[in-house]
Amino acid sequence: MCAKVKFSSIALIVISIALIMGSFHCEVVEDNYGWDDAHATCYGGINGSGTMFGACGYKDLFKQGYGVETTALSTALFNKGLTCGACYEIKCTNSKWCLKNGTVLIHVTATNFCPPNYTKPTENWCNPPAKHFDLTQPMFRKIAVYKAGVVPVQYRRVMCHKQGGIKFEINGNPYFLLVLVYNVGGAGSVVDVKIKGSKTGWLQMSRNWGQNWDFHGQMVGQSLSFRLTTSDGKWVQADDVAPSYWKFGKSYEAKKQFSF
Ligand SMILES: *[C@@H]1O[C@H](CO)[C@@H](O)[C@H](O)[C@H]1NC(C)=O
Ligand SMILES: *[C@@H]1O[C@H](CO)[C@@H](O)[C@H](O)[C@H]1NC(C)=O
Ligand SMILES: *[C@@H]1O[C@H](CO)[C@@H](O)[C@H](O)[C@H]1NC(C)=O
């Protein structure tokens, strides 16, 4: 009886330790969807000017559906561009500069890089290993007093909610495709892209920069299909996204979207 009780208490302790370690593990892993600490500043104009055409390769964020609800990420979060397209929920915390005492939540998509500045002695917020969000000015103003400049925040990865299908802008030349993948729902951050012409099998694309993926070869005159994998391991296959008469510089919308 006693031994049995002892056994179950030990088992309980083991389970509790496993649970505590599990939740601790959740806190420190980047792709975890739990709250983590960081700081936020802002850049660009009050209408989002100066935040377009960033390091993720997205262009006019209004036309591409992101609007001003975007952020630039410090080196620690940017992951050399692999995090482009990820979505975050952010709240201002523990500062007199927070609006409504930190109860306002904003949702932003990562569209740009906040570069480090190693010669700056102070306020070098975007230097590694700092986790930092350089928000658009309108998003910063939703959570904090503008003149604060910088505020402590808490953030977590959340699912991206996007309208319509995944979009593909096809650039390059007849021997080299550079495809910008945008309007991605779910985890949002695409980590692998495969392409298939109507006369080819599935072929690997390479990430060139941001969310621009390249392929060396000829695809002119073929309809194009894509298979995308996001950072959470989920994938979708979008068949015949672009018709055989697709044109360079044009965007094509898939009927598919990641679930969220
Ligand atoms: C944003 O404001 C700037 C001036 O601050 C102006 O030049 C620009 O046209 C505005 N952009 C939009 C989209 O309204
Ligand atoms: C603001 O929020 C903090 C943390 O949640 C809380 O301790 C504090 O009482 C709040 N202040 C006011 C004025 O509501
Ligand atoms: C880096 O910081 C220094 C010192 O504040 C400044 O003079 C310089 O312009 C900054 N460089 C960039 C690229 O912003």
Side-chain angles (χ1 to χ4, degrees), residues 13-255:
I13 290 166
V14 168
I15 290 166
S16 314
I17 289 172
L19 282 174
I20 290 164
M21 286 178 75
S23 53
F24 181 69
H25 181 69
C26 266
E27 293 292 310
V28 291
V29 174
E30 156 53 18
D31 252 2
N32 66 41
Y33 302 90
W35 291 104
D36 209 343
D37 295 319
H39 284 86
T41 47
C42 70
Y43 76 118
I46 193 151
N47 59 6
S49 60
T51 65
M52 316 276 139
F53 297 89
C56 288
Y58 309 125
K59 295 176 180 174
D60 184 328
L61 298 173
F62 291 111
K63 285 188 185 148
Q64 293 181 330
Y66 300 97
V68 297
E69 298 179 356
T70 66
T71 185
L73 301 177
S74 64
T75 304
L77 295 170
F78 191 65
N79 200 8
K80 297 192 168 90
L82 268 178
T83 318
C84 285
C87 295
Y88 294 92
E89 185 170 60
I90 300 174
K91 58 183 177 187
C92 183
T93 52
N94 298 315
S95 165
K96 63 172 178 172
W97 301 110
C98 297
L99 294 179
K100 297 195 179 140
N101 197 23
T103 57
V104 189
L105 295 170
I106 54 167
H107 292 102
V108 290
T109 306
T111 58
N112 208 350
F113 177 50
C114 180
N117 185 342
Y118 297 103
T119 61
K120 218 173 173 183
T122 58
E123 310 221 318
N124 45 15
W125 298 104
C126 291
N127 288 13
K131 290 173 176 175
H132 192 83
F133 295 89
D134 203 11
L135 298 165
T136 60
Q137 195 186 136
M139 295 316 283
F140 185 88
R141 283 177 181 272
K142 279 186 197 284
I143 58 168
V145 177
Y146 176 63
K147 72 172 183 186
V150 58
V151 288
V153 295
Q154 284 193 313
Y155 73 95
R156 60 183 178 186
R157 280 286 294 270
V158 291
M159 287 288 161
C160 300
H161 292 248
K162 302 296 179 204
Q163 302 232 306
I166 301 162
K167 292 180 183 170
F168 300 83
E169 187 188 278
I170 306 172
N171 296 293
N173 62 53
Y175 307 97
F176 174 77
L177 289 188
L178 190 64
V179 178
L180 173 66
V181 182
Y182 64 101
N183 198 49
V184 181
S189 45
V190 174
V191 297
D192 188 77
V193 181
K194 291 180 177 63
I195 187 170
K196 188 182 147 346
S198 38
K199 297 173 190 156
T200 75
W202 286 101
L203 301 162
Q204 186 66 45
M205 298 190 86
S206 312
R207 200 169 63 86
N208 192 296
W209 64 282
Q211 278 297 350
N212 277 296
W213 295 78
D214 70 39
F215 172 73
H216 292 260
Q218 298 190 40
M219 286 289 179
V220 174
Q222 301 185 53
S223 65
L224 304 178
S225 303
F226 296 93
R227 199 182 272 172
L228 307 182
T229 307
T230 41
S231 53
D232 56 355
K234 298 214 168 88
W235 61 276
V236 298
Q237 183 174 319
D239 290 326
D240 300 320
V241 173
S244 58
Y245 50 89
W246 62 264
K247 294 272 184 300
F248 287 108
K250 286 216 155 198
S251 282
Y252 298 90
E253 181 174 358
K255 291 186 182 73

